[in-house]
Amino acid sequence: MLIRQKDELPSSEITPERLYYNRREFIRLAGSAGLGLVAQAVLPEQLAAQERWPKGRKGPFDTDDEVNTYKEITTYNNFYEFGTDKSDPASNAGRFNPKPWTIRIEGEIKKPATYNLEDFIKTSKFEDRIYRMRCVEGWSMVIPWRGFPLADLVNKVEPTSKAKFVAFETVYRPEEMPGQKRPFLRWPYVEGLRVDEAMNPLTLLATGLYGKDLPNQNGAPLRLVIPWKYGFKGIKSIVKIRFVEKEPPTSWNLAAPDEYGFYSNVNPNVDHPRWSQKTERRLGEFFKRKTLMFNGYSDQVAHLYSGMDLMKNY
Ligand SMILES: Nc1nc2c(c(=O)[nH]1)N[C@H]1C(S)=C(S)[C@@H](COP(=O)(O)O)O[C@H]1N2
Ligand SMILES: [Mo]
């Protein structure tokens, strides 16, 4: 069995909520150890850093894998708009202001509109879902997202028969996103899905994680979550959603077409040209895990690709 290193978290990062969940856990532990409740008063901060999304609220979409800590999820990020190191987004996203926020929804739909995010959220049904997430670079995490199925939105806007793909665009704000002043990628970041992928019940538009609003570094205020695809398909800080007839361009495919395809389904059998995709390192674990086909979501999504050559459609 692996011993997990105790996280160390400055007290400034500990929210009342973290303390709350942890205190509950602590009381339980104290109770089972026969300690008096007096012990609550000396709750050590280090113990609070161990807080995890509470177990025992399993919905049909939740994985059983152990959830990563809030700290892991919010300090080890890819968001090149804020820099290319994993720690850059958490350090550099402080000036980004996701409120207020408007999203434009347009293209091959009967009801194109510009929504204020607040209004848009009022008419959406939110859920918490624990998903395995796998980055193309070979690391993975388990994240409790808060969001609603993208299918709900697709149904609301009524796509025309010409709508075959959905294109997404990240906000362009170089004054707030220092990475956009440098040519790491072509800005703004763009992504896309086939409409049937967008309609799959697993595909979420997320507004939060760990039961609270998305931190800037995780894509505030609205980002895509597609758990059977490599992480880069999960475009952050979305301002535009456009329904189109032809496969739309995507940022990583534009940057390196022989390395990153449009589909980017998690597939241990198709190596990246520069490394294997057979294994992954789960953040917080020592030994590597075997990467699962479609990141373990084959039952829900394999049918979307029947008859397709996944060596070619990577
Ligand atoms: N706009 C934008 N979206 C993005 C990225 C990015 O650089 N810019 N990085 C992607 C990659 S490579 C990954 S693995 C995930 C990481 O999401 P997380 O930081 O919330 O774990 O975001 C994706 N979405
Ligand atoms: Mo990634």
Side-chain angles (χ1 to χ4, degrees), residues 77-81 135 170 189 218 223 231-232 234-236:
N77 303 98
N78 271 338
F79 199 170
Y80 278 20
E81 283 84 340
C135 176
T170 293
Y189 196 101
N218 293 88
R223 56 92 53 89
F232 67 85
I235 182 171
K236 295 174 166 177

Side-chain angles (χ1 to χ4, degrees), residues 40-156:
Q40 265 186 92
V42 292
L43 177 72
E45 285 179 354
Q46 270 70 16
L47 197 63
Q50 302 294 304
E51 179 250 317
R52 283 174 197 274
W53 184 246
K55 292 186 170 136
R57 34 183 319 202
K58 301 242 181 296
F61 294 98
D62 294 346
T63 174
D64 284 331
D65 290 9
E66 187 176 23
V67 172
N68 280 95
T69 63
Y70 187 78
K71 189 188 178 190
E72 285 164 338
I73 295 168
T74 58
T75 58
Y76 192 89
N77 303 98
N78 271 338
F79 199 170
Y80 278 20
E81 283 84 340
F82 296 108
T84 55
D85 284 351
K86 298 288 173 276
S87 58
D88 283 344
S91 316
N92 302 335
R95 219 185 323 149
F96 181 66
N97 181 8
K99 280 178 188 168
W101 194 263
T102 53
I103 332 157
R104 176 75 191 157
I105 304 177
E106 60 183 27
E108 293 294 344
I109 53 175
K110 297 199 183 101
K111 297 175 175 169
T114 302
Y115 293 89
N116 176 300
L117 186 63
E118 299 298 315
D119 300 337
F120 181 75
I121 283 174
K122 273 183 214 145
T123 59
S124 308
K125 234 179 114 205
F126 285 91
E127 291 171 53
D128 293 305
R129 290 194 191 173
I130 305 171
Y131 280 172
R132 287 184 294 275
M133 306 300 296
R134 167 64 153 84
C135 176
V136 73
E137 294 161 25
W139 48 271
S140 64
M141 285 197 227
V142 177
I143 303 184
W145 297 109
R146 185 190 70 199
F148 58 90
L150 177 58
D152 291 356
L153 169 86
V154 177
N155 290 329
K156 256 185 227 172

Side-chain angles (χ1 to χ4, degrees), residues 170-292:
T170 293
V171 72
Y172 180 68
R173 284 191 198 168
E175 293 316 311
E176 293 179 30
M177 299 176 134
Q180 286 182 333
K181 291 189 169 165
R182 304 188 50 193
F184 299 135
L185 289 167
R186 280 187 229 175
W187 311 115
Y189 196 101
V190 289
E191 257 306 335
L193 294 172
R194 249 174 24 201
V195 166
D196 60 343
E197 296 177 314
M199 294 293 288
N200 187 276
L202 283 174
T203 306
L204 293 185
L205 273 175
T207 60
L209 58 83
Y210 258 84
K212 45 193 161 193
D213 287 351
L214 283 174
N216 289 347
Q217 60 267 36
N218 293 88
L222 186 74
R223 56 92 53 89
L224 197 58
V225 174
I226 316 132
W228 73 94
K229 291 180 180 281
Y230 290 119
F232 67 85
K233 297 295 287 182
I235 182 171
K236 295 174 166 177
S237 307
I238 298 168
V239 284
K240 200 194 276 184
I241 301 178
R242 187 175 172 80
F243 290 74
V244 294
E245 204 171 352
K246 300 215 171 75
E247 187 183 288
T250 59
S251 281
W252 280 100
N253 180 254
L254 290 171
D258 48 333
E259 299 185 23
Y260 309 105
F262 177 78
Y263 284 95
S264 301
N265 292 318
V266 175
N267 188 343
N269 309 315
V270 178
D271 290 344
H272 183 279
R274 292 183 281 136
W275 60 82
S276 161
Q277 293 291 21
K278 286 188 173 53
T279 61
E280 67 199 52
R281 192 179 74 83
R282 179 71 48 84
L283 251 76
E285 292 182 354
F286 180 76
F287 293 108
K288 286 194 170 178
R289 290 173 172 251
K290 279 199 170 123
T291 289
L292 304 172

